[in-house]
Amino acid sequence: MLLKCDKINKYYRSTTRAPERTVLEDLDLSVETGTSLAIVGPSGSGKSTLLNLIGLLDKPSAGTLYFNDRNSEQMDENARARIRNREIGFIFQMHHLLPQCTVLENVLIPTLADPGKNEPDHRSHAETLLQRVGLLEHAHKLPGRLSGGEQQRVAVVRALINRPKLLLADEPTGSLDQRTADQLADLLIELNQEQSQTLVMVTHSQRLAERMERTLYLRDGRLWDHDQNS
């Protein structure tokens, strides 16, 4: 089991006197290694909040999250940061590429936190991945010279550079046209199947969700196997 959420709760309070707003309530989730999962729900349902918890970017208000059999509550900030860098890859709706860096430099940014590995090895791996997504010939271009779909593919390669066990995607096709979105979905599914990388994606797109092995719906702070509105 790569990921397990046990009775996760997340709530926010805007001020000390304001009532708590519950986003996630007693949420349970188990994700096996090498599987693909879509989490679907309306805006404001807590999809991104859940992804931030899974990605160790945030901590639950209550409950326990296990990553690769490790209790996240027992990790200090350095341990959480190492896992985020080495074992989890993040893909967001906006690619967040640095405009002043080349495609290759953008891809290699996550490796800067791991100086113990050989730089030529990182570069060779980056070039292999760029070749895999059809962008090696653009390696020395700035992102502004690429299309939106090409920039998002660069973001995917950047997420993969450290060979993560878990790939998290937050609305990765939300800003793309349908043809480009389908191509990116093809790529993510191929990588999941070829490299046995676990893929967890949050999306508004039912079309995209149906391509994952499993779909869960986030309603009322919990995950359901079937859409409550269906």
PDB file of all heavy atoms in Angstrom, residues 3-33:
ATOM      1  N   LEU A   3      -0.253   4.510  -0.240  1.00  0.00           N
ATOM      2  CA  LEU A   3      -0.864   5.655   0.418  1.00  0.00           C
ATOM      3  C   LEU A   3      -2.103   5.215   1.183  1.00  0.00           C
ATOM      4  O   LEU A   3      -2.926   4.453   0.667  1.00  0.00           O
ATOM      5  CB  LEU A   3      -1.262   6.705  -0.639  1.00  0.00           C
ATOM      6  CG  LEU A   3      -1.928   7.976  -0.154  1.00  0.00           C
ATOM      7  CD1 LEU A   3      -0.943   8.829   0.626  1.00  0.00           C
ATOM      8  CD2 LEU A   3      -2.484   8.754  -1.340  1.00  0.00           C
ATOM      9  N   LYS A   4      -2.234   5.710   2.419  1.00  0.00           N
ATOM     10  CA  LYS A   4      -3.412   5.404   3.215  1.00  0.00           C
ATOM     11  C   LYS A   4      -3.789   6.626   4.054  1.00  0.00           C
ATOM     12  O   LYS A   4      -2.949   7.160   4.796  1.00  0.00           O
ATOM     13  CB  LYS A   4      -3.155   4.205   4.127  1.00  0.00           C
ATOM     14  CG  LYS A   4      -4.370   3.808   4.979  1.00  0.00           C
ATOM     15  CD  LYS A   4      -4.073   2.567   5.790  1.00  0.00           C
ATOM     16  CE  LYS A   4      -5.228   2.202   6.715  1.00  0.00           C
ATOM     17  NZ  LYS A   4      -6.478   1.943   5.969  1.00  0.00           N
ATOM     18  N   CYS A   5      -5.032   7.047   3.938  1.00  0.00           N
ATOM     19  CA  CYS A   5      -5.591   8.110   4.766  1.00  0.00           C
ATOM     20  C   CYS A   5      -6.591   7.480   5.724  1.00  0.00           C
ATOM     21  O   CYS A   5      -7.516   6.787   5.288  1.00  0.00           O
ATOM     22  CB  CYS A   5      -6.303   9.154   3.916  1.00  0.00           C
ATOM     23  SG  CYS A   5      -5.241  10.040   2.765  1.00  0.00           S
ATOM     24  N   ASP A   6      -6.393   7.715   7.003  1.00  0.00           N
ATOM     25  CA  ASP A   6      -7.229   7.108   8.035  1.00  0.00           C
ATOM     26  C   ASP A   6      -7.944   8.207   8.829  1.00  0.00           C
ATOM     27  O   ASP A   6      -7.330   8.914   9.624  1.00  0.00           O
ATOM     28  CB  ASP A   6      -6.358   6.266   8.963  1.00  0.00           C
ATOM     29  CG  ASP A   6      -7.167   5.494   9.999  1.00  0.00           C
ATOM     30  OD1 ASP A   6      -8.395   5.395   9.849  1.00  0.00           O
ATOM     31  OD2 ASP A   6      -6.547   4.977  10.963  1.00  0.00           O
ATOM     32  N   LYS A   7      -9.245   8.353   8.555  1.00  0.00           N
ATOM     33  CA  LYS A   7     -10.095   9.311   9.272  1.00  0.00           C
ATOM     34  C   LYS A   7      -9.497  10.722   9.240  1.00  0.00           C
ATOM     35  O   LYS A   7      -9.378  11.406  10.261  1.00  0.00           O
ATOM     36  CB  LYS A   7     -10.311   8.874  10.726  1.00  0.00           C
ATOM     37  CG  LYS A   7     -10.904   7.484  10.884  1.00  0.00           C
ATOM     38  CD  LYS A   7     -12.284   7.401  10.256  1.00  0.00           C
ATOM     39  CE  LYS A   7     -12.880   5.998  10.424  1.00  0.00           C
ATOM     40  NZ  LYS A   7     -14.173   5.852   9.694  1.00  0.00           N
ATOM     41  N   ILE A   8      -9.153  11.165   8.035  1.00  0.00           N
ATOM     42  CA  ILE A   8      -8.548  12.486   7.864  1.00  0.00           C
ATOM     43  C   ILE A   8      -9.603  13.588   7.994  1.00  0.00           C
ATOM     44  O   ILE A   8     -10.677  13.518   7.383  1.00  0.00           O
ATOM     45  CB  ILE A   8      -7.855  12.586   6.497  1.00  0.00           C
ATOM     46  CG1 ILE A   8      -6.638  11.672   6.440  1.00  0.00           C
ATOM     47  CG2 ILE A   8      -7.468  14.026   6.186  1.00  0.00           C
ATOM     48  CD1 ILE A   8      -5.507  12.063   7.346  1.00  0.00           C
ATOM     49  N   ASN A   9      -9.284  14.576   8.772  1.00  0.00           N
ATOM     50  CA  ASN A   9     -10.114  15.775   8.896  1.00  0.00           C
ATOM     51  C   ASN A   9      -9.261  16.999   8.577  1.00  0.00           C
ATOM     52  O   ASN A   9      -8.069  17.046   8.916  1.00  0.00           O
ATOM     53  CB  ASN A   9     -10.664  15.922  10.313  1.00  0.00           C
ATOM     54  CG  ASN A   9     -11.751  14.914  10.629  1.00  0.00           C
ATOM     55  OD1 ASN A   9     -12.932  15.218  10.582  1.00  0.00           O
ATOM     56  ND2 ASN A   9     -11.336  13.683  10.959  1.00  0.00           N
ATOM     57  N   LYS A  10      -9.878  17.967   7.928  1.00  0.00           N
ATOM     58  CA  LYS A  10      -9.210  19.249   7.692  1.00  0.00           C
ATOM     59  C   LYS A  10     -10.234  20.360   7.852  1.00  0.00           C
ATOM     60  O   LYS A  10     -11.274  20.357   7.194  1.00  0.00           O
ATOM     61  CB  LYS A  10      -8.591  19.300   6.291  1.00  0.00           C
ATOM     62  CG  LYS A  10      -7.749  20.544   6.060  1.00  0.00           C
ATOM     63  CD  LYS A  10      -6.530  20.595   6.953  1.00  0.00           C
ATOM     64  CE  LYS A  10      -5.685  21.834   6.722  1.00  0.00           C
ATOM     65  NZ  LYS A  10      -4.509  21.898   7.613  1.00  0.00           N
ATOM     66  N   TYR A  11      -9.927  21.289   8.737  1.00  0.00           N
ATOM     67  CA  TYR A  11     -10.821  22.416   8.916  1.00  0.00           C
ATOM     68  C   TYR A  11     -10.007  23.689   9.041  1.00  0.00           C
ATOM     69  O   TYR A  11      -8.826  23.689   9.371  1.00  0.00           O
ATOM     70  CB  TYR A  11     -11.717  22.233  10.142  1.00  0.00           C
ATOM     71  CG  TYR A  11     -10.998  21.841  11.410  1.00  0.00           C
ATOM     72  CD1 TYR A  11     -10.352  22.797  12.202  1.00  0.00           C
ATOM     73  CD2 TYR A  11     -10.957  20.507  11.827  1.00  0.00           C
ATOM     74  CE1 TYR A  11      -9.688  22.429  13.366  1.00  0.00           C
ATOM     75  CE2 TYR A  11     -10.287  20.141  12.984  1.00  0.00           C
ATOM     76  CZ  TYR A  11      -9.663  21.105  13.753  1.00  0.00           C
ATOM     77  OH  TYR A  11      -8.989  20.756  14.903  1.00  0.00           O
ATOM     78  N   TYR A  12     -10.670  24.794   8.727  1.00  0.00           N
ATOM     79  CA  TYR A  12     -10.034  26.105   8.742  1.00  0.00           C
ATOM     80  C   TYR A  12     -10.862  27.054   9.591  1.00  0.00           C
ATOM     81  O   TYR A  12     -12.075  26.920   9.713  1.00  0.00           O
ATOM     82  CB  TYR A  12      -9.922  26.669   7.324  1.00  0.00           C
ATOM     83  CG  TYR A  12      -9.062  25.845   6.394  1.00  0.00           C
ATOM     84  CD1 TYR A  12      -9.633  24.910   5.526  1.00  0.00           C
ATOM     85  CD2 TYR A  12      -7.678  26.015   6.358  1.00  0.00           C
ATOM     86  CE1 TYR A  12      -8.849  24.160   4.665  1.00  0.00           C
ATOM     87  CE2 TYR A  12      -6.891  25.267   5.500  1.00  0.00           C
ATOM     88  CZ  TYR A  12      -7.483  24.352   4.664  1.00  0.00           C
ATOM     89  OH  TYR A  12      -6.711  23.605   3.816  1.00  0.00           O
ATOM     90  N   ARG A  13     -10.185  28.031  10.143  1.00  0.00           N
ATOM     91  CA  ARG A  13     -10.856  29.094  10.881  1.00  0.00           C
ATOM     92  C   ARG A  13     -10.254  30.417  10.399  1.00  0.00           C
ATOM     93  O   ARG A  13      -9.038  30.635  10.518  1.00  0.00           O
ATOM     94  CB  ARG A  13     -10.627  28.919  12.382  1.00  0.00           C
ATOM     95  CG  ARG A  13     -11.476  29.826  13.251  1.00  0.00           C
ATOM     96  CD  ARG A  13     -10.987  29.816  14.697  1.00  0.00           C
ATOM     97  NE  ARG A  13     -10.974  28.486  15.274  1.00  0.00           N
ATOM     98  CZ  ARG A  13     -12.006  27.965  15.957  1.00  0.00           C
ATOM     99  NH1 ARG A  13     -13.101  28.676  16.112  1.00  0.00           N
ATOM    100  NH2 ARG A  13     -11.914  26.755  16.465  1.00  0.00           N
ATOM    101  N   SER A  14     -11.090  31.306   9.847  1.00  0.00           N
ATOM    102  CA  SER A  14     -10.587  32.547   9.269  1.00  0.00           C
ATOM    103  C   SER A  14     -10.078  33.506  10.343  1.00  0.00           C
ATOM    104  O   SER A  14      -9.107  34.235  10.140  1.00  0.00           O
ATOM    105  CB  SER A  14     -11.673  33.232   8.432  1.00  0.00           C
ATOM    106  OG  SER A  14     -12.834  33.463   9.216  1.00  0.00           O
ATOM    107  N   THR A  15     -10.728  33.527  11.488  1.00  0.00           N
ATOM    108  CA  THR A  15     -10.283  34.326  12.624  1.00  0.00           C
ATOM    109  C   THR A  15     -10.461  33.495  13.895  1.00  0.00           C
ATOM    110  O   THR A  15     -11.112  32.453  13.879  1.00  0.00           O
ATOM    111  CB  THR A  15     -11.100  35.632  12.758  1.00  0.00           C
ATOM    112  OG1 THR A  15     -12.456  35.309  13.104  1.00  0.00           O
ATOM    113  CG2 THR A  15     -11.067  36.438  11.463  1.00  0.00           C
ATOM    114  N   THR A  16      -9.895  33.979  14.989  1.00  0.00           N
ATOM    115  CA  THR A  16      -9.989  33.220  16.235  1.00  0.00           C
ATOM    116  C   THR A  16     -11.428  33.107  16.714  1.00  0.00           C
ATOM    117  O   THR A  16     -11.771  32.155  17.429  1.00  0.00           O
ATOM    118  CB  THR A  16      -9.138  33.889  17.324  1.00  0.00           C
ATOM    119  OG1 THR A  16      -9.545  35.262  17.469  1.00  0.00           O
ATOM    120  CG2 THR A  16      -7.661  33.830  16.960  1.00  0.00           C
ATOM    121  N   ARG A  17     -12.283  34.048  16.332  1.00  0.00           N
ATOM    122  CA  ARG A  17     -13.668  34.030  16.789  1.00  0.00           C
ATOM    123  C   ARG A  17     -14.620  33.392  15.778  1.00  0.00           C
ATOM    124  O   ARG A  17     -15.769  33.105  16.101  1.00  0.00           O
ATOM    125  CB  ARG A  17     -14.150  35.452  17.101  1.00  0.00           C
ATOM    126  CG  ARG A  17     -13.403  36.098  18.269  1.00  0.00           C
ATOM    127  CD  ARG A  17     -13.987  37.467  18.599  1.00  0.00           C
ATOM    128  NE  ARG A  17     -13.314  38.064  19.750  1.00  0.00           N
ATOM    129  CZ  ARG A  17     -13.636  39.240  20.255  1.00  0.00           C
ATOM    130  NH1 ARG A  17     -14.611  39.961  19.706  1.00  0.00           N
ATOM    131  NH2 ARG A  17     -12.969  39.715  21.307  1.00  0.00           N
ATOM    132  N   ALA A  18     -14.127  33.187  14.556  1.00  0.00           N
ATOM    133  CA  ALA A  18     -14.994  32.627  13.516  1.00  0.00           C
ATOM    134  C   ALA A  18     -15.190  31.130  13.742  1.00  0.00           C
ATOM    135  O   ALA A  18     -14.313  30.454  14.289  1.00  0.00           O
ATOM    136  CB  ALA A  18     -14.379  32.849  12.141  1.00  0.00           C
ATOM    137  N   PRO A  19     -16.334  30.589  13.324  1.00  0.00           N
ATOM    138  CA  PRO A  19     -16.548  29.139  13.452  1.00  0.00           C
ATOM    139  C   PRO A  19     -15.640  28.374  12.493  1.00  0.00           C
ATOM    140  O   PRO A  19     -15.235  28.890  11.452  1.00  0.00           O
ATOM    141  CB  PRO A  19     -18.028  28.964  13.070  1.00  0.00           C
ATOM    142  CG  PRO A  19     -18.334  30.139  12.206  1.00  0.00           C
ATOM    143  CD  PRO A  19     -17.508  31.267  12.737  1.00  0.00           C
ATOM    144  N   GLU A  20     -15.321  27.163  12.854  1.00  0.00           N
ATOM    145  CA  GLU A  20     -14.511  26.329  11.986  1.00  0.00           C
ATOM    146  C   GLU A  20     -15.290  25.948  10.728  1.00  0.00           C
ATOM    147  O   GLU A  20     -16.488  25.692  10.792  1.00  0.00           O
ATOM    148  CB  GLU A  20     -14.093  25.050  12.719  1.00  0.00           C
ATOM    149  CG  GLU A  20     -13.113  25.278  13.851  1.00  0.00           C
ATOM    150  CD  GLU A  20     -12.788  24.008  14.589  1.00  0.00           C
ATOM    151  OE1 GLU A  20     -13.459  22.982  14.333  1.00  0.00           O
ATOM    152  OE2 GLU A  20     -11.879  24.042  15.416  1.00  0.00           O
ATOM    153  N   ARG A  21     -14.568  25.925   9.615  1.00  0.00           N
ATOM    154  CA  ARG A  21     -15.164  25.451   8.361  1.00  0.00           C
ATOM    155  C   ARG A  21     -14.530  24.114   8.021  1.00  0.00           C
ATOM    156  O   ARG A  21     -13.325  24.036   7.777  1.00  0.00           O
ATOM    157  CB  ARG A  21     -14.928  26.454   7.233  1.00  0.00           C
ATOM    158  CG  ARG A  21     -15.568  26.037   5.902  1.00  0.00           C
ATOM    159  CD  ARG A  21     -15.435  27.150   4.884  1.00  0.00           C
ATOM    160  NE  ARG A  21     -14.067  27.320   4.444  1.00  0.00           N
ATOM    161  CZ  ARG A  21     -13.513  26.662   3.422  1.00  0.00           C
ATOM    162  NH1 ARG A  21     -14.223  25.748   2.760  1.00  0.00           N
ATOM    163  NH2 ARG A  21     -12.268  26.885   3.069  1.00  0.00           N
ATOM    164  N   THR A  22     -15.318  23.058   8.036  1.00  0.00           N
ATOM    165  CA  THR A  22     -14.805  21.714   7.775  1.00  0.00           C
ATOM    166  C   THR A  22     -14.760  21.458   6.278  1.00  0.00           C
ATOM    167  O   THR A  22     -15.766  21.598   5.580  1.00  0.00           O
ATOM    168  CB  THR A  22     -15.685  20.655   8.456  1.00  0.00           C
ATOM    169  OG1 THR A  22     -15.678  20.883   9.868  1.00  0.00           O
ATOM    170  CG2 THR A  22     -15.154  19.258   8.171  1.00  0.00           C
ATOM    171  N   VAL A  23     -13.595  21.084   5.782  1.00  0.00           N
ATOM    172  CA  VAL A  23     -13.417  20.777   4.360  1.00  0.00           C
ATOM    173  C   VAL A  23     -13.403  19.265   4.138  1.00  0.00           C
ATOM    174  O   VAL A  23     -14.044  18.762   3.216  1.00  0.00           O
ATOM    175  CB  VAL A  23     -12.119  21.412   3.825  1.00  0.00           C
ATOM    176  CG1 VAL A  23     -11.934  21.084   2.345  1.00  0.00           C
ATOM    177  CG2 VAL A  23     -12.131  22.913   4.038  1.00  0.00           C
ATOM    178  N   LEU A  24     -12.680  18.543   4.972  1.00  0.00           N
ATOM    179  CA  LEU A  24     -12.619  17.083   4.904  1.00  0.00           C
ATOM    180  C   LEU A  24     -13.010  16.525   6.266  1.00  0.00           C
ATOM    181  O   LEU A  24     -12.577  17.039   7.299  1.00  0.00           O
ATOM    182  CB  LEU A  24     -11.212  16.615   4.533  1.00  0.00           C
ATOM    183  CG  LEU A  24     -10.615  17.171   3.233  1.00  0.00           C
ATOM    184  CD1 LEU A  24      -9.180  16.724   3.066  1.00  0.00           C
ATOM    185  CD2 LEU A  24     -11.457  16.771   2.030  1.00  0.00           C
ATOM    186  N   GLU A  25     -13.830  15.462   6.260  1.00  0.00           N
ATOM    187  CA  GLU A  25     -14.350  14.932   7.520  1.00  0.00           C
ATOM    188  C   GLU A  25     -14.277  13.408   7.531  1.00  0.00           C
ATOM    189  O   GLU A  25     -14.919  12.741   6.710  1.00  0.00           O
ATOM    190  CB  GLU A  25     -15.795  15.382   7.730  1.00  0.00           C
ATOM    191  CG  GLU A  25     -16.395  14.920   9.049  1.00  0.00           C
ATOM    192  CD  GLU A  25     -17.799  15.464   9.267  1.00  0.00           C
ATOM    193  OE1 GLU A  25     -18.367  16.025   8.313  1.00  0.00           O
ATOM    194  OE2 GLU A  25     -18.313  15.313  10.379  1.00  0.00           O
ATOM    195  N   ASP A  26     -13.462  12.860   8.424  1.00  0.00           N
ATOM    196  CA  ASP A  26     -13.322  11.406   8.587  1.00  0.00           C
ATOM    197  C   ASP A  26     -13.124  10.704   7.251  1.00  0.00           C
ATOM    198  O   ASP A  26     -13.735   9.679   6.956  1.00  0.00           O
ATOM    199  CB  ASP A  26     -14.547  10.830   9.301  1.00  0.00           C
ATOM    200  CG  ASP A  26     -14.613  11.272  10.758  1.00  0.00           C
ATOM    201  OD1 ASP A  26     -13.560  11.626  11.312  1.00  0.00           O
ATOM    202  OD2 ASP A  26     -15.715  11.262  11.321  1.00  0.00           O
ATOM    203  N   LEU A  27     -12.250  11.270   6.444  1.00  0.00           N
ATOM    204  CA  LEU A  27     -12.016  10.750   5.091  1.00  0.00           C
ATOM    205  C   LEU A  27     -11.042   9.579   5.134  1.00  0.00           C
ATOM    206  O   LEU A  27      -9.984   9.666   5.749  1.00  0.00           O
ATOM    207  CB  LEU A  27     -11.477  11.874   4.203  1.00  0.00           C
ATOM    208  CG  LEU A  27     -11.208  11.549   2.739  1.00  0.00           C
ATOM    209  CD1 LEU A  27     -11.530  12.756   1.854  1.00  0.00           C
ATOM    210  CD2 LEU A  27      -9.754  11.121   2.510  1.00  0.00           C
ATOM    211  N   ASP A  28     -11.425   8.494   4.461  1.00  0.00           N
ATOM    212  CA  ASP A  28     -10.579   7.307   4.333  1.00  0.00           C
ATOM    213  C   ASP A  28     -10.203   7.114   2.863  1.00  0.00           C
ATOM    214  O   ASP A  28     -11.031   7.314   1.965  1.00  0.00           O
ATOM    215  CB  ASP A  28     -11.307   6.057   4.824  1.00  0.00           C
ATOM    216  CG  ASP A  28     -11.563   6.082   6.325  1.00  0.00           C
ATOM    217  OD1 ASP A  28     -10.690   6.571   7.063  1.00  0.00           O
ATOM    218  OD2 ASP A  28     -12.637   5.619   6.750  1.00  0.00           O
ATOM    219  N   LEU A  29      -8.965   6.702   2.639  1.00  0.00           N
ATOM    220  CA  LEU A  29      -8.508   6.464   1.273  1.00  0.00           C
ATOM    221  C   LEU A  29      -7.318   5.520   1.303  1.00  0.00           C
ATOM    222  O   LEU A  29      -6.413   5.684   2.119  1.00  0.00           O
ATOM    223  CB  LEU A  29      -8.092   7.783   0.603  1.00  0.00           C
ATOM    224  CG  LEU A  29      -7.420   7.676  -0.774  1.00  0.00           C
ATOM    225  CD1 LEU A  29      -8.400   7.114  -1.807  1.00  0.00           C
ATOM    226  CD2 LEU A  29      -6.878   9.036  -1.212  1.00  0.00           C
ATOM    227  N   SER A  30      -7.335   4.531   0.409  1.00  0.00           N
ATOM    228  CA  SER A  30      -6.200   3.633   0.240  1.00  0.00           C
ATOM    229  C   SER A  30      -5.856   3.570  -1.239  1.00  0.00           C
ATOM    230  O   SER A  30      -6.743   3.431  -2.085  1.00  0.00           O
ATOM    231  CB  SER A  30      -6.524   2.218   0.752  1.00  0.00           C
ATOM    232  OG  SER A  30      -6.786   2.238   2.141  1.00  0.00           O
ATOM    233  N   VAL A  31      -4.573   3.688  -1.555  1.00  0.00           N
ATOM    234  CA  VAL A  31      -4.115   3.677  -2.947  1.00  0.00           C
ATOM    235  C   VAL A  31      -2.973   2.678  -3.068  1.00  0.00           C
ATOM    236  O   VAL A  31      -1.935   2.815  -2.398  1.00  0.00           O
ATOM    237  CB  VAL A  31      -3.638   5.072  -3.396  1.00  0.00           C
ATOM    238  CG1 VAL A  31      -3.201   5.029  -4.865  1.00  0.00           C
ATOM    239  CG2 VAL A  31      -4.743   6.111  -3.209  1.00  0.00           C
ATOM    240  N   GLU A  32      -3.156   1.676  -3.914  1.00  0.00           N
ATOM    241  CA  GLU A  32      -2.133   0.660  -4.135  1.00  0.00           C
ATOM    242  C   GLU A  32      -1.048   1.179  -5.085  1.00  0.00           C
ATOM    243  O   GLU A  32      -1.310   2.003  -5.965  1.00  0.00           O
ATOM    244  CB  GLU A  32      -2.758  -0.599  -4.735  1.00  0.00           C
ATOM    245  CG  GLU A  32      -3.779  -1.297  -3.847  1.00  0.00           C
ATOM    246  CD  GLU A  32      -3.139  -2.097  -2.731  1.00  0.00           C
ATOM    247  OE1 GLU A  32      -1.896  -2.227  -2.749  1.00  0.00           O
ATOM    248  OE2 GLU A  32      -3.859  -2.588  -1.854  1.00  0.00           O
ATOM    249  N   THR A  33       0.147   0.670  -4.914  1.00  0.00           N
ATOM    250  CA  THR A  33       1.266   1.040  -5.782  1.00  0.00           C
ATOM    251  C   THR A  33       0.966   0.683  -7.236  1.00  0.00           C
ATOM    252  O   THR A  33       0.469  -0.406  -7.532  1.00  0.00           O
ATOM    253  CB  THR A  33       2.542   0.304  -5.328  1.00  0.00           C
ATOM    254  OG1 THR A  33       2.840   0.680  -3.987  1.00  0.00           O
ATOM    255  CG2 THR A  33       3.711   0.646  -6.238  1.00  0.00           C
TER     256      THR A  33
END
